[in-house]
Amino acid sequence: MTLYTTLHLHNVPEDKTGAYADWFDGPHRDALVRLKGFAGADRYEVTEAQIMPDAVQCWRYLSVYDFEVSDPKLQIPALGPLLAEARDSGLVSADGAERLHTFQLFGDWKIGPNWQRDKPLSGVSIILGNYVPGRFDEYQAWYENVHSVEVINVPGHVGMKRGVLSDIQVEPRSYCPGDQLVMTAQQTDDLIFTVTDFGMRALGKSPSGVTMEPRSKAGSVARTVHYFRKISGTEFWPGGVAYAGDLSVYPEATRGQSASPWR
């Protein structure tokens, strides 16, 4: 069995946001559970806080579909007709922004010490990234052994999973700017604080005293990053910042600052 994740990045007409939410958590979920290999789905909305505050966020919504399948050529594309229902009903904006990208995962969530297993996520961030040609092994080793550990120890960051763009895609196919997926899970109600400390750790200026290693030269700068908050289901992050360390070292003045740079 192999793990796959499909990202549905899209917008919804302003007068259809409630209808889309009702469809996703109602008949759409009912249909999803009948798909062989379906493992779960959640829906997210883009956040105001971003690690690259000046970057254009062209998608307001992200739906994440997880699969554990034995025959991806048959099982993954079966999601397409279900999403076509929303498109045909006018629930997806016909603005040319919609994208569907499926990634074969290297593994399930790599969980850090901050993760509160009995509580839901507050959101996720995704990087659509690339590596420098000829340096794939170096890129993977840096992410797996160095950077993933750094990221999931930041306050509010709790886990990471990664994958490579799959040959098997859900229709309609579209160009993807990055063949490497990095998805980070959050449990925080202060995302500005979380992304700020991420940036400060990269600069070696975090009140925690933690300094990240220099970014690997195997990682391409051709990448985009997007933070989203969870908006589907019935269980939501109850509040606070998940952190296994000492939050008291952070002055209150650090809350609410913008974050830069990003990794």
Side-chain angles (χ1 to χ4, degrees), residues 76-194:
I76 298 298
L79 176 62
L82 302 188
L83 295 178
E85 294 178 9
R87 195 177 301 115
D88 294 344
S89 300
L91 297 180
V92 177
S93 295
D95 56 4
E98 183 186 13
R99 295 291 185 271
L100 278 163
H101 303 309
T102 298
F103 295 84
Q104 181 177 338
L105 300 183
F106 301 130
D108 207 344
W109 287 111
K110 181 175 185 177
I111 294 175
N114 300 337
W115 190 300
Q116 297 187 18
R117 295 172 181 266
D118 60 332
K119 295 182 176 64
L121 301 180
S122 61
V124 296
S125 59
I126 60 169
I127 294 176
L128 302 177
N130 298 280
Y131 55 89
V132 174
R135 303 181 74 168
F136 175 82
D137 290 342
E138 182 182 348
Y139 175 84
Q140 298 301 334
W142 171 66
Y143 245 111
E144 183 61 30
N145 301 323
V146 179
H147 197 47
S148 61
V149 178
E150 294 174 328
V151 172
I152 63 180
N153 277 277
V154 172
H157 279 174
V158 298
M160 179 184 289
K161 58 183 176 181
R162 301 187 301 113
V164 61
L165 192 67
S166 173
D167 292 335
I168 301 161
Q169 294 292 321
V170 177
E171 298 293 344
R173 294 181 177 229
S174 54
Y175 167 75
C176 184
D179 77 340
Q180 299 292 305
L181 172 67
V182 179
M183 180 178 291
T184 303
Q186 289 97 47
Q187 289 181 322
T188 179
D189 65 355
D190 194 343
L191 186 56
I192 292 178
F193 166 64
T194 293

Side-chain angles (χ1 to χ4, degrees), residues 40-82:
D42 270 311
R43 186 166 175 257
Y44 303 86
E45 183 175 18
V46 73
T47 58
E48 182 177 354
Q50 296 286 333
I51 200 78
M52 295 180 68
D54 295 329
V56 174
Q57 297 291 326
C58 53
W59 302 294
R60 182 175 175 182
Y61 297 106
L62 163 69
S63 299
V64 178
Y65 299 89
D66 293 320
F67 298 88
E68 186 172 359
V69 298
S70 57
D71 192 349
K73 289 183 179 180
L74 291 178
Q75 295 163 330
I76 298 298
L79 176 62
L82 302 188

